[in-house]
Amino acid sequence: MSDISKIYGELVFNDHTMREKLPSDVYKTLSQTIKQGKPINIDIANVVAHAMKEWAIEKGATHFTHWFQPLSGITSEKHDSFLDPQPDGTAITKFSGKELIQGEPDASSFPNGGLRATFEARGYTAWDPTSYAFIKDEVLCIPTAFCSYTGAALDKKTPLLRSMGALEEQAKRVLALFGDAPKRVITNVGAEQEYFLISEKDYTARQDLVLTGRTLFGHRPVKGQELEEHYFGAIRPTVNEFMKELDDELWKLGISAHTKHNEVAPAQHELAPIFAQSNRAIDENLLTMEKMRLLASHHGLVCLQHEKPFEGVNGSGKHNNWSISADNRNLLDPGESPMDNLRFLVLLTGVIQAVDEYQELLRMSVASAGNDHRLGANEAPPAIVSIFLGDELGRVVEALIEHNDDYKSRQKEAMDLGVAVLPNFPKDNTDRNRTSPFAFTGNKFEFRMPGSEANLSDSNTVLNTAMAKSLKEFADTMEGVPAEDFHDAAYEYIRQTLADHQRIIFNGDGYGEEWEAEAARRGLANNRTTPDALRCCADQKTFDLFEEFGVLSKEEMLSRYEVKLDKYNKLLNIESNVMIRQSRRMYMPDINNYCGELAGEIYRVETIAGPDAVKNQKALLKQLTDGLNVAYDATNRLEEEHEIAKAIEDNQEQASYYAYHVIPVMEELRAAIDGLECICDHDYWPVPTYNDILFYG
């Protein structure tokens, strides 16, 4: 068994290692870069690069790579050896400051949404010193940003870093009004990752899972999650061995994997880390996802990170827990009396304003073909963005809007369970709300809409920038107010802003149909599909927000719009092709074979025993052939609709056609095939069923 305190961070060039390996003056300069955002020069970079190389080689590394996040959302890497051959036939190892600071991968084959032409291949990667370098598979990985020859951001990290800088600048202005001058204001993220583990044998037998990440056919299992026995239940031995290896590998990489458990659906699990600075937390989450996929094979398993791999049971999300801190003080901690905590109320009001003003951008940031199947399916928040504050903060907000200055925050109650041996403990003032997309959970907000496959850079870029806008408006208004009037003026600003944005606050059941009607009355957006959600990318309001804070230019925003549409269309194209091919070449032929076997058996029995002996078999045969006819017709119509969709040149129009014309026919075809699964002989069914896949040993 590993001594986790000794292995933790052993493959990371972290602060402890830097202090040990770098000269004190170089360490001090690099620390200022990391902690205060100060620039670094080439001389310092050369020293850091040499120390980093020597440390990496000691750990067995032979190559280095600039590790970055192109617009595909996954990570990319190109490995270069430390080896430098010499004229005399020997070789030395070499890694320069220039190689540390800047790389030059070919940018021609990455998604770019029109930011550059195919023949413009040059791209640059730039070292992000605020996210520690690490060793993975004998390669020194240097987290980097990725940009084009013209300086346009071709990745997800660059806008995230820009948004963090924008929020920090505006937060410092606000805090200065309270007499605070923190060195750093940062956003922190804790990413709860849900995933499925299934047998490798079953996975390889399901071509739809292999090619699309989800089952395009499959009737819900006879036993699903209705007994609620899997959630927090005892972990399967095979899964437990996987989890133990995963913990060890993540701890070596300095990833604070903290909580692991079974989730609600059978074969579903969750891993949650401790909070980290946003860009580092997102890097670590992407590493976690990669390790999950790779290590599962060591145990005869496959890790599924699609948002909805199985119809009829819960899908998987990635809860984005978000907070703001100034020099390690959590600015979203309400304290014992939130009503009297003016600084907290300013921050809370800013969040409410940001989420209301840019609700459609937040919905856009989580939009994907996979997440469309999950959102609003009574296992995840609806596609309508709202904020849950809970009883206590809800009352505080109401009191502020109503100018009820006499309101006093409720003191925490002690929980008495009525058993003498059990301790009394304080009860939180606020319950949790699983149905809310954006919920306050004590001293942070939990954004529950992102899907399990998501790169959280998108959501946090939107959230940080929208929050920067709210804080800027407060600072612009208050900076000219005399000090003696600040308190009253700030409370008045809060009251007015909360009144203007009260519609976004909803503490009820987000799954209920009545909420959808109520949200419409409030004027909240309800973009159910990805094509609908992405339209706001091209709004002037969106351009204005991101350009005001230098987070994304109009061209950079439009490029992301095109990339997201293109990915959606390509995924639907693949899914349609797989459904058509599987229907025609697997399901319908095998069901036909069963019909032939059944017909022959009916003929033989009827010849001997007469018609009455086979009336039930004949009814079954008719049910099968009727279902087959429906499946044949649906397959033909799917092919027709798919051809129409493929011929549409405009990406937005094509995506909308897939959403509103192709997907309904896909669902009809699925329903037809899934209905036949329940009456077809198991030996004739061409693939493992949900009963087989989800309840392995």
Side-chain angles (χ1 to χ4, degrees):
M1 187 176 187
S2 304
D3 183 339
I4 61 177
S5 65
K6 290 182 179 178
I7 68 170
Y8 188 80
E10 69 177 20
L11 297 180
V12 185
F13 199 71
N14 53 27
D15 187 73
H16 173 80
T17 304
M18 288 189 285
R19 190 185 303 113
E20 185 179 84
K21 300 291 184 181
L22 295 173
S24 59
D25 59 330
V26 174
Y27 168 73
K28 183 178 180 181
T29 301
L30 184 57
S31 293
Q32 289 176 333
T33 295
I34 294 170
K35 296 174 183 177
Q36 300 175 30
K38 293 186 177 180
I40 192 168
N41 63 45
I42 190 64
D43 293 331
I44 295 295
N46 280 326
V47 178
V48 174
H50 177 75
M52 200 180 280
K53 180 206 71 174
E54 293 297 303
W55 167 79
I57 290 173
E58 286 175 12
K59 297 289 186 182
T62 57
H63 291 68
F64 69 92
T65 184
H66 276 198
W67 187 78
F68 60 100
Q69 305 167 30
L71 294 180
S72 59
I74 58 175
T75 59
S76 295
E77 52 197 70
K78 179 188 72 169
H79 302 169
D80 290 307
S81 171
F82 289 125
L83 208 63
D84 184 19
Q86 300 297 295
D88 63 357
T90 62
I92 62 172
T93 57
K94 182 182 176 183
F95 182 51
S96 68
K98 181 180 178 183
E99 289 171 311
L100 170 62
I101 289 174
Q102 178 187 316
E104 192 179 321
D106 185 335
S108 61
S109 296
F110 290 109
N112 66 85
L115 280 177
R116 33 153 302 283
T118 302
F119 63 84
E120 296 170 335
R122 193 181 296 275
Y124 294 113
T125 48
W127 176 34
D128 170 18
T130 63
S131 192
Y132 296 134
F134 57 91
I135 296 171
K136 176 172 69 77
D137 302 323
E138 300 182 343
V139 177
L140 173 65
C141 298
I142 302 150
T144 56
F146 180 42
C147 67
S148 72
Y149 183 69
T150 61
L154 292 175
D155 68 340
K156 293 183 179 285
K157 178 184 276 277
T158 301
L160 174 67
L161 292 171
R162 291 171 180 171
S163 73
M164 292 169 66
L167 187 147
E168 179 176 35
E169 179 182 353
Q170 301 307 321
K172 284 182 174 179
R173 290 179 64 198
V174 170
L175 293 175
L177 296 168
F178 291 88
D180 292 338
K183 292 180 179 179
R184 290 302 309 271
V185 177
I186 63 171
T187 54
N188 297 299
V189 165
E192 301 173 22
Q193 179 71 49
E194 295 176 346
Y195 60 99
F196 281 83
L197 287 173
I198 66 168
S199 160
E200 205 166 28
K201 173 178 62 69
D202 289 335
Y203 174 78
T204 55
R206 293 289 309 226
Q207 195 176 50
D208 48 0
L209 268 177
V210 173
L211 295 176
T212 73
R214 75 181 183 104
T215 51
L216 300 175
F217 298 101
H219 197 280
R220 67 177 56 199
V222 292
K223 172 190 174 185
Q225 61 199 49
E226 61 272 17
L227 294 180
E228 299 173 335
E229 60 189 355
H230 191 256
Y231 189 54
F232 280 27
I235 299 171
R236 289 184 178 110
T238 305
V239 171
N240 198 44
E241 288 303 309
F242 159 79
M243 287 181 169
K244 286 194 288 186
E245 184 182 8
L246 177 63
D247 279 342
D248 280 353
E249 291 299 307
L250 295 180
W251 289 334
K252 290 175 186 177
L253 290 166
I255 298 172
S256 56
H258 186 66
T259 302
K260 57 185 180 183
H261 60 84
N262 287 348
E263 254 299 333
V264 173
Q268 187 185 35
H269 314 280
E270 180 178 298
L271 183 147
I274 297 172
F275 277 63
Q277 184 173 320
S278 294
N279 61 313
R280 191 180 302 164
I282 292 167
D283 284 353
E284 291 176 354
N285 176 250
L286 294 170
L287 259 179
T288 298
M289 293 171 69
E290 179 184 314
K291 284 295 183 182
M292 284 177 170
R293 293 190 298 268
L294 294 175
L295 296 179
S297 64
H298 296 180
H299 306 273
L301 302 171
V302 171
C303 178
L304 303 178
Q305 293 167 352
H306 192 283
E307 288 85 356
K308 191 75 171 181
F310 303 104
E311 187 68 28
V313 299
N314 276 14
S316 296
K318 177 157 29 200
H319 304 158
N320 186 91
N321 294 282
W322 177 85
S323 65
I324 309 172
S325 64
D327 294 345
N328 297 319
R329 288 177 299 141
N330 188 342
L331 299 179
L332 292 179
D333 186 346
E336 292 298 319
S337 179
M339 187 69 173
D340 303 316
N341 188 342
L342 180 56
R343 186 181 66 185
F344 166 74
L345 292 176
V346 169
L347 272 292
L348 175 67
T349 300
V351 174
I352 292 169
Q353 179 183 6
V355 173
D356 185 31
E357 285 283 353
Y358 298 102
Q359 55 184 276
E360 291 194 78
L361 277 180
L362 281 170
R363 168 67 180 96
M364 176 278 296
S365 73
V366 304
S368 70
N371 213 21
D372 282 357
H373 296 287
R374 168 181 165 265
L375 292 178
N378 283 355
E379 71 217 38
I384 306 163
V385 176
S386 65
I387 292 178
F388 168 81
L389 294 179
D391 294 340
E392 175 60 17
L393 281 188
R395 292 190 188 101
V396 168
V397 168
E398 288 175 7
L400 287 165
I401 293 172
E402 295 168 3
H403 289 255
N404 180 9
D405 297 330
D406 295 329
Y407 178 81
K408 298 297 181 185
S409 296
R410 189 176 58 181
Q411 298 300 308
K412 286 189 176 181
E413 303 173 16
M415 290 286 288
D416 184 356
L417 300 181
V419 180
V421 73
L422 296 178
N424 293 339
F425 54 88
K427 173 185 176 182
D428 287 325
N429 284 340
T430 295
D431 199 355
R432 302 189 70 176
N433 188 333
R434 287 180 52 84
T435 73
S436 176
F438 202 90
F440 186 75
T441 54
N443 59 5
K444 57 184 169 50
F445 281 93
E446 183 180 31
F447 187 32
R448 298 177 59 89
M449 292 181 82
S452 51
E453 277 192 319
N455 181 321
L456 291 176
S457 295
D458 289 345
S459 299
N460 286 282
T461 297
V462 171
L463 187 52
N464 293 343
T465 311
M467 185 61 176
K469 175 72 170 176
S470 296
L471 296 177
K472 180 178 184 296
E473 290 186 3
F474 178 82
D476 288 347
T477 303
M478 292 293 134
E479 281 175 341
V481 174
E484 62 271 19
D485 298 330
F486 174 73
H487 181 275
D488 291 344
Y491 268 105
E492 186 54 40
Y493 182 97
I494 289 168
R495 290 186 174 99
Q496 186 58 55
T497 305
L498 289 174
D500 291 343
H501 299 283
Q502 191 176 13
R503 65 174 185 167
I504 201 72
I505 300 170
F506 177 65
N507 291 329
D509 181 5
Y511 293 160
E513 292 181 8
E514 57 274 13
W515 166 233
E516 191 168 327
E518 169 62 22
R521 285 193 292 272
R522 294 187 185 192
L524 299 179
N526 186 7
N527 294 318
R528 294 183 181 85
T529 72
T530 289
D532 293 335
L534 294 181
R535 289 183 187 276
C536 69
C537 291
D539 290 348
Q540 188 61 45
K541 180 180 178 180
T542 298
F543 303 147
D544 291 344
L545 173 68
F546 287 125
E547 288 187 324
E548 179 177 358
F549 295 98
V551 173
L552 288 166
S553 67
K554 179 178 179 179
E555 291 73 22
E556 288 172 326
M557 188 66 235
L558 287 174
S559 74
R560 281 145 180 80
Y561 178 37
E562 288 300 317
V563 167
K564 286 176 180 286
L565 283 172
D566 190 53
K567 183 175 182 179
Y568 178 86
N569 290 335
K570 286 176 177 175
L571 284 171
L572 266 295
N573 173 58
I574 292 168
E575 288 190 355
S576 299
N577 285 332
V578 172
M579 286 197 85
I580 292 166
R581 185 165 297 190
Q582 285 197 312
S583 175
R584 286 189 174 145
R585 298 182 64 184
M586 288 177 58
Y587 289 100
M588 292 193 293
D590 282 16
I591 297 166
N592 262 322
N593 289 339
Y594 176 54
C595 287
E597 174 69 24
L598 183 60
E601 185 65 23
I602 289 171
Y603 176 77
R604 289 189 291 272
V605 172
E606 186 174 23
T607 301
I608 297 170
D612 289 344
V614 291
K615 63 180 181 180
N616 290 321
Q617 292 93 320
K618 285 183 176 180
L620 174 60
L621 181 60
K622 185 175 188 309
Q623 193 175 357
L624 285 164
T625 55
D626 286 348
L628 269 175
N629 286 329
V630 173
Y632 275 116
D633 290 343
T635 303
N636 291 335
R637 285 193 293 114
L638 176 57
E639 187 169 47
E640 292 168 4
E641 294 290 357
H642 185 211
E643 290 301 317
I644 294 171
K646 288 194 296 183
I648 298 172
E649 294 184 0
D650 180 81
N651 260 348
Q652 177 67 62
E653 290 180 18
Q654 186 181 59
S656 296
Y657 198 89
Y658 271 121
Y660 289 103
H661 296 273
V662 176
I663 287 178
V665 184
M666 292 171 67
E667 291 171 347
E668 288 179 31
L669 174 56
R670 176 172 190 150
I673 297 293
D674 289 358
L676 293 170
E677 179 187 320
C678 298
I679 57 175
C680 183
D681 189 310
H682 186 273
D683 291 340
Y684 281 85
W685 200 250
V687 297
T689 67
Y690 283 12
N691 294 325
D692 303 318
I693 296 171
L694 295 175
F695 298 95
Y696 59 91

